[in-house]
Amino acid sequence: MNGFPELEESVRREVGARLFTVLAWIPGRRTLRRVHSSHPEQYPVGGEKSVEVAQGWLAQCIEGGQPYLGADRAAVREIFADHELIESLGCGAVINVPVTEDGRVIGVLNLLDAEGRYDEASVAAARSLAPAAVPALRAAVQGGGA
């Protein structure tokens, strides 16, 4: 696998996702910059998300390097300010998986699908795909994409 389109295909096949984005972590600014999007009109590459609002999510995913499972709409609403747009795309569940290199988080895979679609087995499957994102994330960051 050599890029985000291939990773997206694997995610769709092995876990399922209506919406899939990859975000690069910019530690100096405490922001996440979108480097891949399955829905570029709604979620364009280059868009940034400040994570100051979702401190619990930040502690778990970025600082702790652990995946986040939001299995229902209430969980999605809790961490995403743009939950109305997410719901309009038919999504009501989320998995966020940190992508790590040399023990540090360099980005996050975001998988969203219908409410109730994801469980712990889905998280494990998504987590197994995260290492495949490292080369493309590194290239995006070094190439100025993040």
Side-chain angles (χ1 to χ4, degrees), residues 47-63:
E48 291 190 3
K49 288 189 172 211
S50 167
V51 291
E52 293 174 5
V53 176
Q55 286 300 314
W57 181 92
L58 178 70
Q60 182 171 335
C61 258
I62 301 297
E63 296 166 2

Side-chain angles (χ1 to χ4, degrees), residues 109-125:
L109 304 183
N110 300 302
L111 294 71
L112 293 102
D113 210 328
E115 184 170 31
R117 173 73 172 80
Y118 296 137
D119 57 17
E120 291 299 330
S122 306
V123 173

Side-chain angles (χ1 to χ4, degrees), residues 2 20 22 24 28 44 48-49 79-81 89-90 92-93 100 104 108 114-115 117-119 126 130-131 134-135 141:
N2 60 9
F20 175 69
V22 180
E48 291 190 3
K49 288 189 172 211
I79 64 165
F80 291 109
L89 297 173
T100 61
R104 63 183 178 86
V108 179
E115 184 170 31
R117 173 73 172 80
Y118 296 137
D119 57 17
V134 170
V141 170

Side-chain angles (χ1 to χ4, degrees), residues 9-136:
E9 187 176 308
S10 293
V11 163
R12 289 185 188 279
R13 182 178 58 250
E14 297 180 32
V15 186
R18 292 183 186 193
L19 172 61
F20 175 69
T21 64
V22 180
L23 302 171
W25 172 238
I26 315 298
R29 295 185 23 224
R30 296 180 64 83
T31 61
L32 291 158
R33 181 173 300 147
R34 195 173 304 108
V35 294
H36 176 79
S37 176
S38 65
H39 288 67
E41 284 187 26
Q42 295 91 347
Y43 292 98
V45 168
E48 291 190 3
K49 288 189 172 211
S50 167
V51 291
E52 293 174 5
V53 176
Q55 286 300 314
W57 181 92
L58 178 70
Q60 182 171 335
C61 258
I62 301 297
E63 296 166 2
Q66 295 301 310
Y68 173 83
L69 169 63
D72 58 28
R73 287 184 184 175
V76 171
R77 288 177 182 157
E78 189 175 310
I79 64 165
F80 291 109
D82 58 341
H83 60 83
E84 289 178 2
L85 176 56
I86 290 169
E87 289 176 15
S88 77
L89 297 173
C91 299
V94 62
I95 297 173
N96 303 120
V97 178
V99 178
T100 61
E101 182 178 45
D102 298 328
R104 63 183 178 86
V105 173
I106 61 169
V108 179
L109 304 183
N110 300 302
L111 294 71
L112 293 102
D113 210 328
E115 184 170 31
R117 173 73 172 80
Y118 296 137
D119 57 17
E120 291 299 330
S122 306
V123 173
R127 196 174 197 176
S128 74
L129 296 172
V134 170

